[in-house]
């Protein structure tokens, strides 16, 4: 008998954050839930990050996913938007890592390619394909939740393949794969000192 697994897909965002859940038994997947966190009414960016963390934890504790698939931030021209999106993704990842749920990142193009066969497909095309594959009766007004669902389905399609994306099983794994982002203790002290000096000026 094949083991049942739950995959949580996340589409990070600071306006709307999308979540999708699928159940996998053997080589068959079934739709569980579409969800979104609407953050438009909040002006405080840090409050948004707190809410993203709490909602992700709530989903983990409610559905007990075995794996998380998350869409990696795309590189755009607006640096501030990229920064905010990266923070949203990082907070969602931190929530998963704190509960020791393995996480895999996928680029937007890879997710679109897995679902539609076209790396430049629109949100609407991705949503329609998911509706067809999973037998969804209706689609949500905002398609961020279907983007989260797409990440989960992409992960299912890519299982067993080599180098599906960045994969983290915990904090140690994350740090090991991102050594270039982690500064040495000495460098950290220097940065803090120089920061204090700039503030005093």
């Amino acid at each position: 008998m094949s083991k049942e697994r739950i995959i949580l897909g996340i589409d990070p965002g600071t306006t709307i954050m999308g979540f999708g859940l699928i159940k996998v038994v053997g080589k068959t997947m079934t739709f569980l839930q579409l969800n979104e966190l609407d953050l438009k009414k909040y002006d405080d960016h840090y409050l948004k990050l707190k809410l993203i963390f709490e909602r992700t934890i709530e989903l983990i504790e409610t559905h007990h996913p075995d794996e998380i698939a998350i869409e990696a931030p795309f590189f755009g021209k607006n640096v501030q938007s990229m920064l905010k999106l990266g923070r949203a993704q990082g907070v969602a990842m931190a929530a998963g890592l704190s509960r020791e749920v393995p996480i895999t990142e996928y680029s937007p193009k890879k997710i679109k390619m897995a679902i539609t066969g076209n790396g430049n497909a629109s949100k609407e095309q991705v949503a329609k394909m998911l509706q067809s594959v999973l037998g969804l009766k209706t689609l949500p007004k905002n398609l961020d939740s279907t983007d989260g669902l797409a990440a989960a389905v992409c992960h299912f399609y890519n299982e067993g393949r080599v180098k599906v994306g960045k994969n983290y099983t915990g904090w140690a794994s994350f740090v090991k794969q991102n050594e270039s982002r982690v500064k040495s203790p000495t460098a950290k002290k220097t940065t803090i000192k120089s920061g204090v000096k700039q503030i005093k000026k």
Side-chain angles (χ1 to χ4, degrees):
M1 187 175 173
S2 299
K3 184 188 172 186
E4 180 181 303
R5 292 178 302 111
I6 305 293
I7 301 173
L8 168 61
I10 300 175
D11 175 40
T14 54
T15 304
I16 297 175
M17 190 154 186
F19 303 91
L21 286 143
I22 59 171
K23 178 172 73 175
V24 176
V25 180
K27 294 184 178 181
T28 305
M29 65 173 168
T30 52
F31 168 73
L32 287 181
Q33 189 184 88
L34 274 175
N35 214 301
E36 65 181 34
L37 176 62
D38 192 341
L39 299 159
K40 291 194 290 287
K41 61 183 176 182
Y42 303 104
D43 294 324
D44 188 335
H45 180 64
Y46 299 104
L47 175 58
K48 290 183 179 186
L49 296 178
K50 178 178 179 285
L51 293 170
I52 289 168
F53 184 86
E54 289 174 348
R55 184 70 179 121
T56 308
I57 288 289
E58 183 187 341
L59 284 162
I60 291 169
E61 292 181 345
T62 302
H63 300 282
H64 307 288
D66 299 281
E67 297 158 73
I68 291 174
I70 191 165
E71 184 174 309
F74 60 90
F75 293 97
K77 292 181 180 179
N78 190 321
V79 178
Q80 283 301 316
S81 294
M82 281 177 60
L83 177 63
K84 288 178 180 178
L85 195 59
R87 285 174 174 173
Q89 188 214 30
V91 165
M93 289 174 70
L97 292 168
S98 73
R99 294 299 186 268
E100 298 185 351
V101 183
I103 299 171
T104 305
E105 284 182 273
Y106 293 95
S107 70
K109 273 187 177 289
K110 191 168 185 75
I111 292 172
K112 290 174 181 178
M113 180 65 74
I115 306 303
T116 68
N118 176 8
N120 295 312
S122 66
K123 277 179 177 280
E124 290 75 17
Q125 289 171 320
V126 170
K128 285 288 184 185
M129 185 60 75
L130 288 171
Q131 185 176 26
S132 174
V133 171
L134 295 170
L136 306 178
K137 291 180 180 179
T138 57
L139 289 172
K141 183 181 176 182
N142 298 310
L143 298 180
D144 299 87
S145 52
T146 51
D147 282 350
L149 184 63
V153 174
C154 171
H155 185 63
F156 168 73
Y157 284 156
N158 280 279
E159 283 176 326
R161 297 183 186 178
V162 181
K163 293 188 80 174
V164 294
K166 287 189 177 181
N167 189 284
Y168 311 115
T169 53
W171 285 115
S173 170
F174 179 83
V175 172
K176 190 173 182 181
Q177 292 187 50
N178 293 276
E179 288 178 347
S180 61
R181 296 186 193 180
V182 182
K183 295 180 179 179
S184 67
T186 310
K188 195 173 183 182
K189 285 178 184 175
T190 306
T191 306
I192 291 168
K193 284 180 181 177
S194 61
V196 171
K197 284 179 181 176
Q198 287 172 7
I199 291 166
K200 284 181 179 177
K201 285 178 183 178

mmCIF file of all heavy atoms in Angstrom, residues 135-173:
data_model
loop_
_atom_site.group_PDB
_atom_site.id
_atom_site.type_symbol
_atom_site.label_atom_id
_atom_site.label_comp_id
_atom_site.label_asym_id
_atom_site.label_seq_id
_atom_site.Cartn_x
_atom_site.Cartn_y
_atom_site.Cartn_z
ATOM 1 N N GLY A 135 -9.656 18.694 -11.631
ATOM 2 C CA GLY A 135 -11.120 18.661 -11.596
ATOM 3 C C GLY A 135 -11.738 19.718 -10.697
ATOM 4 O O GLY A 135 -12.744 19.462 -10.026
ATOM 5 N N LEU A 136 -11.143 20.916 -10.683
ATOM 6 C CA LEU A 136 -11.681 22.001 -9.861
ATOM 7 C C LEU A 136 -12.975 22.541 -10.482
ATOM 8 O O LEU A 136 -13.030 22.806 -11.679
ATOM 9 C CB LEU A 136 -10.669 23.141 -9.738
ATOM 10 C CG LEU A 136 -9.260 22.781 -9.229
ATOM 11 C CD1 LEU A 136 -8.384 24.023 -9.217
ATOM 12 C CD2 LEU A 136 -9.319 22.155 -7.860
ATOM 13 N N LYS A 137 -14.007 22.688 -9.677
ATOM 14 C CA LYS A 137 -15.297 23.169 -10.185
ATOM 15 C C LYS A 137 -15.234 24.635 -10.574
ATOM 16 O O LYS A 137 -15.752 25.055 -11.601
ATOM 17 C CB LYS A 137 -16.395 22.934 -9.143
ATOM 18 C CG LYS A 137 -16.725 21.463 -8.939
ATOM 19 C CD LYS A 137 -17.821 21.286 -7.910
ATOM 20 C CE LYS A 137 -18.137 19.811 -7.716
ATOM 21 N NZ LYS A 137 -19.187 19.601 -6.688
ATOM 22 N N THR A 138 -14.621 25.423 -9.709
ATOM 23 C CA THR A 138 -14.494 26.855 -9.990
ATOM 24 C C THR A 138 -13.078 27.319 -9.659
ATOM 25 O O THR A 138 -12.338 26.641 -8.934
ATOM 26 C CB THR A 138 -15.472 27.691 -9.133
ATOM 27 O OG1 THR A 138 -15.238 27.407 -7.746
ATOM 28 C CG2 THR A 138 -16.911 27.368 -9.488
ATOM 29 N N LEU A 139 -12.722 28.476 -10.189
ATOM 30 C CA LEU A 139 -11.424 29.079 -9.895
ATOM 31 C C LEU A 139 -11.637 30.308 -9.022
ATOM 32 O O LEU A 139 -12.654 30.997 -9.149
ATOM 33 C CB LEU A 139 -10.717 29.486 -11.188
ATOM 34 C CG LEU A 139 -10.197 28.350 -12.065
ATOM 35 C CD1 LEU A 139 -9.696 28.895 -13.391
ATOM 36 C CD2 LEU A 139 -9.095 27.562 -11.356
ATOM 37 N N PRO A 140 -10.692 30.595 -8.125
ATOM 38 C CA PRO A 140 -10.835 31.775 -7.264
ATOM 39 C C PRO A 140 -10.705 33.066 -8.062
ATOM 40 O O PRO A 140 -10.165 33.072 -9.162
ATOM 41 C CB PRO A 140 -9.680 31.612 -6.270
ATOM 42 C CG PRO A 140 -8.673 30.798 -6.988
ATOM 43 C CD PRO A 140 -9.442 29.864 -7.864
ATOM 44 N N LYS A 141 -11.205 34.149 -7.475
ATOM 45 C CA LYS A 141 -11.129 35.457 -8.117
ATOM 46 C C LYS A 141 -9.666 35.872 -8.297
ATOM 47 O O LYS A 141 -9.249 36.316 -9.351
ATOM 48 C CB LYS A 141 -11.869 36.497 -7.258
ATOM 49 C CG LYS A 141 -11.914 37.881 -7.873
ATOM 50 C CD LYS A 141 -12.641 38.864 -6.959
ATOM 51 C CE LYS A 141 -12.598 40.274 -7.539
ATOM 52 N NZ LYS A 141 -13.250 41.247 -6.646
ATOM 53 N N ASN A 142 -8.887 35.729 -7.225
ATOM 54 C CA ASN A 142 -7.448 35.999 -7.296
ATOM 55 C C ASN A 142 -6.733 34.687 -7.603
ATOM 56 O O ASN A 142 -7.051 33.665 -7.001
ATOM 57 C CB ASN A 142 -6.933 36.551 -5.965
ATOM 58 C CG ASN A 142 -7.582 37.871 -5.604
ATOM 59 O OD1 ASN A 142 -7.625 38.782 -6.414
ATOM 60 N ND2 ASN A 142 -8.118 37.969 -4.397
ATOM 61 N N LEU A 143 -5.780 34.736 -8.529
ATOM 62 C CA LEU A 143 -5.121 33.505 -8.949
ATOM 63 C C LEU A 143 -3.814 33.236 -8.205
ATOM 64 O O LEU A 143 -3.046 32.368 -8.607
ATOM 65 C CB LEU A 143 -4.883 33.545 -10.469
ATOM 66 C CG LEU A 143 -6.159 33.630 -11.321
ATOM 67 C CD1 LEU A 143 -5.808 33.663 -12.799
ATOM 68 C CD2 LEU A 143 -7.102 32.472 -11.015
ATOM 69 N N ASP A 144 -3.584 33.967 -7.116
ATOM 70 C CA ASP A 144 -2.374 33.719 -6.322
ATOM 71 C C ASP A 144 -2.454 32.354 -5.647
ATOM 72 O O ASP A 144 -1.447 31.677 -5.476
ATOM 73 C CB ASP A 144 -2.192 34.819 -5.271
ATOM 74 C CG ASP A 144 -2.036 36.188 -5.913
ATOM 75 O OD1 ASP A 144 -3.055 36.833 -6.176
ATOM 76 O OD2 ASP A 144 -0.896 36.583 -6.168
ATOM 77 N N SER A 145 -3.656 31.961 -5.235
ATOM 78 C CA SER A 145 -3.813 30.653 -4.591
ATOM 79 C C SER A 145 -3.577 29.524 -5.597
ATOM 80 O O SER A 145 -3.024 28.478 -5.251
ATOM 81 C CB SER A 145 -5.182 30.518 -3.931
ATOM 82 O OG SER A 145 -6.211 30.821 -4.837
ATOM 83 N N THR A 146 -3.985 29.733 -6.872
ATOM 84 C CA THR A 146 -3.710 28.702 -7.878
ATOM 85 C C THR A 146 -2.216 28.649 -8.188
ATOM 86 O O THR A 146 -1.694 27.592 -8.542
ATOM 87 C CB THR A 146 -4.522 28.931 -9.178
ATOM 88 O OG1 THR A 146 -4.349 30.267 -9.621
ATOM 89 C CG2 THR A 146 -5.995 28.647 -8.964
ATOM 90 N N ASP A 147 -1.524 29.774 -8.038
ATOM 91 C CA ASP A 147 -0.062 29.768 -8.197
ATOM 92 C C ASP A 147 0.593 28.946 -7.091
ATOM 93 O O ASP A 147 1.581 28.250 -7.317
ATOM 94 C CB ASP A 147 0.492 31.199 -8.179
ATOM 95 C CG ASP A 147 0.278 31.923 -9.501
ATOM 96 O OD1 ASP A 147 -0.122 31.269 -10.488
ATOM 97 O OD2 ASP A 147 0.513 33.145 -9.559
ATOM 98 N N GLY A 148 0.038 29.044 -5.872
ATOM 99 C CA GLY A 148 0.540 28.215 -4.772
ATOM 100 C C GLY A 148 0.281 26.745 -5.049
ATOM 101 O O GLY A 148 1.158 25.889 -4.843
ATOM 102 N N LEU A 149 -0.912 26.453 -5.554
ATOM 103 C CA LEU A 149 -1.270 25.078 -5.913
ATOM 104 C C LEU A 149 -0.355 24.567 -7.027
ATOM 105 O O LEU A 149 0.069 23.399 -7.021
ATOM 106 C CB LEU A 149 -2.734 25.031 -6.359
ATOM 107 C CG LEU A 149 -3.324 23.660 -6.694
ATOM 108 C CD1 LEU A 149 -3.322 22.748 -5.466
ATOM 109 C CD2 LEU A 149 -4.737 23.816 -7.242
ATOM 110 N N ALA A 150 -0.026 25.446 -7.974
ATOM 111 C CA ALA A 150 0.860 25.078 -9.085
ATOM 112 C C ALA A 150 2.238 24.647 -8.586
ATOM 113 O O ALA A 150 2.844 23.715 -9.125
ATOM 114 C CB ALA A 150 0.994 26.250 -10.057
ATOM 115 N N ALA A 151 2.735 25.310 -7.540
ATOM 116 C CA ALA A 151 4.035 24.944 -6.968
ATOM 117 C C ALA A 151 3.992 23.516 -6.406
ATOM 118 O O ALA A 151 4.926 22.729 -6.591
ATOM 119 C CB ALA A 151 4.434 25.934 -5.874
ATOM 120 N N ALA A 152 2.883 23.176 -5.748
ATOM 121 C CA ALA A 152 2.714 21.835 -5.183
ATOM 122 C C ALA A 152 2.652 20.784 -6.288
ATOM 123 O O ALA A 152 3.297 19.726 -6.205
ATOM 124 C CB ALA A 152 1.446 21.777 -4.323
ATOM 125 N N VAL A 153 1.890 21.078 -7.348
ATOM 126 C CA VAL A 153 1.752 20.135 -8.470
ATOM 127 C C VAL A 153 3.077 19.991 -9.213
ATOM 128 O O VAL A 153 3.468 18.897 -9.620
ATOM 129 C CB VAL A 153 0.622 20.595 -9.425
ATOM 130 C CG1 VAL A 153 0.565 19.712 -10.671
ATOM 131 C CG2 VAL A 153 -0.724 20.565 -8.699
ATOM 132 N N CYS A 154 3.797 21.095 -9.383
ATOM 133 C CA CYS A 154 5.120 21.068 -10.004
ATOM 134 C C CYS A 154 6.051 20.135 -9.226
ATOM 135 O O CYS A 154 6.782 19.336 -9.812
ATOM 136 C CB CYS A 154 5.696 22.484 -10.055
ATOM 137 S SG CYS A 154 7.426 22.580 -10.576
ATOM 138 N N HIS A 155 5.985 20.223 -7.910
ATOM 139 C CA HIS A 155 6.826 19.370 -7.062
ATOM 140 C C HIS A 155 6.469 17.894 -7.271
ATOM 141 O O HIS A 155 7.345 17.044 -7.378
ATOM 142 C CB HIS A 155 6.645 19.754 -5.594
ATOM 143 C CG HIS A 155 7.554 19.027 -4.659
ATOM 144 N ND1 HIS A 155 8.925 19.149 -4.707
ATOM 145 C CD2 HIS A 155 7.290 18.139 -3.660
ATOM 146 C CE1 HIS A 155 9.473 18.380 -3.768
ATOM 147 N NE2 HIS A 155 8.494 17.753 -3.133
ATOM 148 N N PHE A 156 5.189 17.602 -7.354
ATOM 149 C CA PHE A 156 4.737 16.228 -7.599
ATOM 150 C C PHE A 156 5.263 15.722 -8.945
ATOM 151 O O PHE A 156 5.781 14.602 -9.049
ATOM 152 C CB PHE A 156 3.204 16.175 -7.584
ATOM 153 C CG PHE A 156 2.639 14.884 -8.101
ATOM 154 C CD1 PHE A 156 2.722 13.707 -7.354
ATOM 155 C CD2 PHE A 156 2.019 14.830 -9.345
ATOM 156 C CE1 PHE A 156 2.199 12.517 -7.834
ATOM 157 C CE2 PHE A 156 1.492 13.653 -9.832
ATOM 158 C CZ PHE A 156 1.586 12.490 -9.077
ATOM 159 N N TYR A 157 5.158 16.551 -9.984
ATOM 160 C CA TYR A 157 5.620 16.158 -11.319
ATOM 161 C C TYR A 157 7.131 15.939 -11.374
ATOM 162 O O TYR A 157 7.619 15.139 -12.163
ATOM 163 C CB TYR A 157 5.248 17.231 -12.349
ATOM 164 C CG TYR A 157 3.798 17.255 -12.752
ATOM 165 C CD1 TYR A 157 3.223 18.419 -13.262
ATOM 166 C CD2 TYR A 157 2.985 16.136 -12.628
ATOM 167 C CE1 TYR A 157 1.885 18.459 -13.645
ATOM 168 C CE2 TYR A 157 1.642 16.167 -13.002
ATOM 169 C CZ TYR A 157 1.105 17.323 -13.506
ATOM 170 O OH TYR A 157 -0.218 17.363 -13.880
ATOM 171 N N ASN A 158 7.871 16.677 -10.530
ATOM 172 C CA ASN A 158 9.336 16.614 -10.578
ATOM 173 C C ASN A 158 9.957 15.606 -9.619
ATOM 174 O O ASN A 158 11.172 15.491 -9.558
ATOM 175 C CB ASN A 158 9.920 18.007 -10.305
ATOM 176 C CG ASN A 158 9.881 18.892 -11.535
ATOM 177 O OD1 ASN A 158 10.733 18.800 -12.404
ATOM 178 N ND2 ASN A 158 8.867 19.734 -11.628
ATOM 179 N N GLU A 159 9.149 14.913 -8.858
ATOM 180 C CA GLU A 159 9.696 13.943 -7.906
ATOM 181 C C GLU A 159 10.471 12.850 -8.625
ATOM 182 O O GLU A 159 10.046 12.348 -9.660
ATOM 183 C CB GLU A 159 8.561 13.318 -7.076
ATOM 184 C CG GLU A 159 8.076 14.239 -5.997
ATOM 185 C CD GLU A 159 6.894 13.671 -5.222
ATOM 186 O OE1 GLU A 159 6.078 12.962 -5.825
ATOM 187 O OE2 GLU A 159 6.805 13.957 -4.025
ATOM 188 N N GLY A 160 11.607 12.520 -8.045
ATOM 189 C CA GLY A 160 12.427 11.455 -8.623
ATOM 190 C C GLY A 160 13.402 11.950 -9.676
ATOM 191 O O GLY A 160 14.278 11.218 -10.116
ATOM 192 N N ARG A 161 13.245 13.212 -10.071
ATOM 193 C CA ARG A 161 14.177 13.761 -11.056
ATOM 194 C C ARG A 161 15.371 14.391 -10.351
ATOM 195 O O ARG A 161 15.252 14.882 -9.236
ATOM 196 C CB ARG A 161 13.489 14.823 -11.921
ATOM 197 C CG ARG A 161 12.341 14.246 -12.742
ATOM 198 C CD ARG A 161 11.754 15.306 -13.628
ATOM 199 N NE ARG A 161 10.571 14.797 -14.312
ATOM 200 C CZ ARG A 161 9.822 15.524 -15.129
ATOM 201 N NH1 ARG A 161 10.129 16.778 -15.365
ATOM 202 N NH2 ARG A 161 8.773 14.997 -15.718
ATOM 203 N N VAL A 162 16.493 14.414 -11.037
ATOM 204 C CA VAL A 162 17.703 14.981 -10.451
ATOM 205 C C VAL A 162 17.656 16.500 -10.542
ATOM 206 O O VAL A 162 17.211 17.062 -11.541
ATOM 207 C CB VAL A 162 18.962 14.454 -11.187
ATOM 208 C CG1 VAL A 162 20.230 15.023 -10.562
ATOM 209 C CG2 VAL A 162 18.992 12.936 -11.136
ATOM 210 N N LYS A 163 18.110 17.179 -9.493
ATOM 211 C CA LYS A 163 18.208 18.637 -9.428
ATOM 212 C C LYS A 163 16.878 19.323 -9.758
ATOM 213 O O LYS A 163 16.767 20.092 -10.709
ATOM 214 C CB LYS A 163 19.305 19.150 -10.363
ATOM 215 C CG LYS A 163 20.703 18.741 -9.922
ATOM 216 C CD LYS A 163 21.770 19.406 -10.729
ATOM 217 C CE LYS A 163 22.014 20.818 -10.265
ATOM 218 N NZ LYS A 163 23.149 21.469 -10.926
ATOM 219 N N VAL A 164 15.867 19.029 -8.986
ATOM 220 C CA VAL A 164 14.558 19.651 -9.212
ATOM 221 C C VAL A 164 14.530 21.107 -8.769
ATOM 222 O O VAL A 164 13.695 21.881 -9.199
ATOM 223 C CB VAL A 164 13.441 18.873 -8.471
ATOM 224 C CG1 VAL A 164 13.286 17.502 -9.059
ATOM 225 C CG2 VAL A 164 13.701 18.788 -6.979
ATOM 226 N N GLY A 165 15.408 21.478 -7.892
ATOM 227 C CA GLY A 165 15.414 22.848 -7.367
ATOM 228 C C GLY A 165 16.201 22.833 -6.078
ATOM 229 O O GLY A 165 16.745 21.815 -5.687
ATOM 230 N N LYS A 166 16.309 23.956 -5.421
ATOM 231 C CA LYS A 166 16.996 23.982 -4.133
ATOM 232 C C LYS A 166 16.129 23.280 -3.101
ATOM 233 O O LYS A 166 14.945 23.555 -3.003
ATOM 234 C CB LYS A 166 17.284 25.421 -3.707
ATOM 235 C CG LYS A 166 18.402 26.069 -4.509
ATOM 236 C CD LYS A 166 18.791 27.398 -3.901
ATOM 237 C CE LYS A 166 19.954 28.019 -4.662
ATOM 238 N NZ LYS A 166 20.363 29.305 -4.079
ATOM 239 N N ASN A 167 16.754 22.405 -2.332
ATOM 240 C CA ASN A 167 15.987 21.613 -1.379
ATOM 241 C C ASN A 167 16.581 21.775 0.012
ATOM 242 O O ASN A 167 17.786 21.660 0.189
ATOM 243 C CB ASN A 167 16.042 20.143 -1.795
ATOM 244 C CG ASN A 167 15.105 19.299 -0.980
ATOM 245 O OD1 ASN A 167 15.404 19.006 0.169
ATOM 246 N ND2 ASN A 167 13.986 18.902 -1.547
ATOM 247 N N TYR A 168 15.732 22.087 0.988
ATOM 248 C CA TYR A 168 16.186 22.272 2.364
ATOM 249 C C TYR A 168 15.395 21.370 3.295
ATOM 250 O O TYR A 168 14.179 21.302 3.221
ATOM 251 C CB TYR A 168 15.990 23.731 2.806
ATOM 252 C CG TYR A 168 16.522 24.745 1.823
ATOM 253 C CD1 TYR A 168 15.663 25.615 1.163
ATOM 254 C CD2 TYR A 168 17.885 24.812 1.535
ATOM 255 C CE1 TYR A 168 16.142 26.541 0.241
ATOM 256 C CE2 TYR A 168 18.371 25.739 0.624
ATOM 257 C CZ TYR A 168 17.496 26.599 -0.017
ATOM 258 O OH TYR A 168 17.972 27.509 -0.919
ATOM 259 N N THR A 169 16.113 20.667 4.176
ATOM 260 C CA THR A 169 15.432 19.798 5.131
ATOM 261 C C THR A 169 15.451 20.383 6.543
ATOM 262 O O THR A 169 14.830 19.842 7.444
ATOM 263 C CB THR A 169 16.098 18.406 5.172
ATOM 264 O OG1 THR A 169 17.500 18.581 5.408
ATOM 265 C CG2 THR A 169 15.894 17.670 3.851
ATOM 266 N N GLY A 170 16.157 21.489 6.728
ATOM 267 C CA GLY A 170 16.228 22.139 8.030
ATOM 268 C C GLY A 170 17.194 23.303 7.969
ATOM 269 O O GLY A 170 17.751 23.620 6.916
ATOM 270 N N TRP A 171 17.410 23.958 9.094
ATOM 271 C CA TRP A 171 18.296 25.135 9.133
ATOM 272 C C TRP A 171 19.713 24.796 8.692
ATOM 273 O O TRP A 171 20.338 25.537 7.945
ATOM 274 C CB TRP A 171 18.323 25.724 10.548
ATOM 275 C CG TRP A 171 17.090 26.481 10.909
ATOM 276 C CD1 TRP A 171 16.174 26.167 11.870
ATOM 277 C CD2 TRP A 171 16.594 27.685 10.307
ATOM 278 N NE1 TRP A 171 15.148 27.077 11.897
ATOM 279 C CE2 TRP A 171 15.382 28.026 10.960
ATOM 280 C CE3 TRP A 171 17.058 28.507 9.283
ATOM 281 C CZ2 TRP A 171 14.638 29.152 10.615
ATOM 282 C CZ3 TRP A 171 16.306 29.626 8.943
ATOM 283 C CH2 TRP A 171 15.125 29.932 9.604
ATOM 284 N N ALA A 172 20.236 23.645 9.165
ATOM 285 C CA ALA A 172 21.608 23.253 8.823
ATOM 286 C C ALA A 172 21.747 23.085 7.313
ATOM 287 O O ALA A 172 22.732 23.527 6.706
ATOM 288 C CB ALA A 172 21.979 21.956 9.539
ATOM 289 N N SER A 173 20.737 22.476 6.704
ATOM 290 C CA SER A 173 20.735 22.268 5.253
ATOM 291 C C SER A 173 20.678 23.601 4.519
ATOM 292 O O SER A 173 21.393 23.815 3.539
ATOM 293 C CB SER A 173 19.537 21.394 4.869
ATOM 294 O OG SER A 173 19.367 21.368 3.477
#
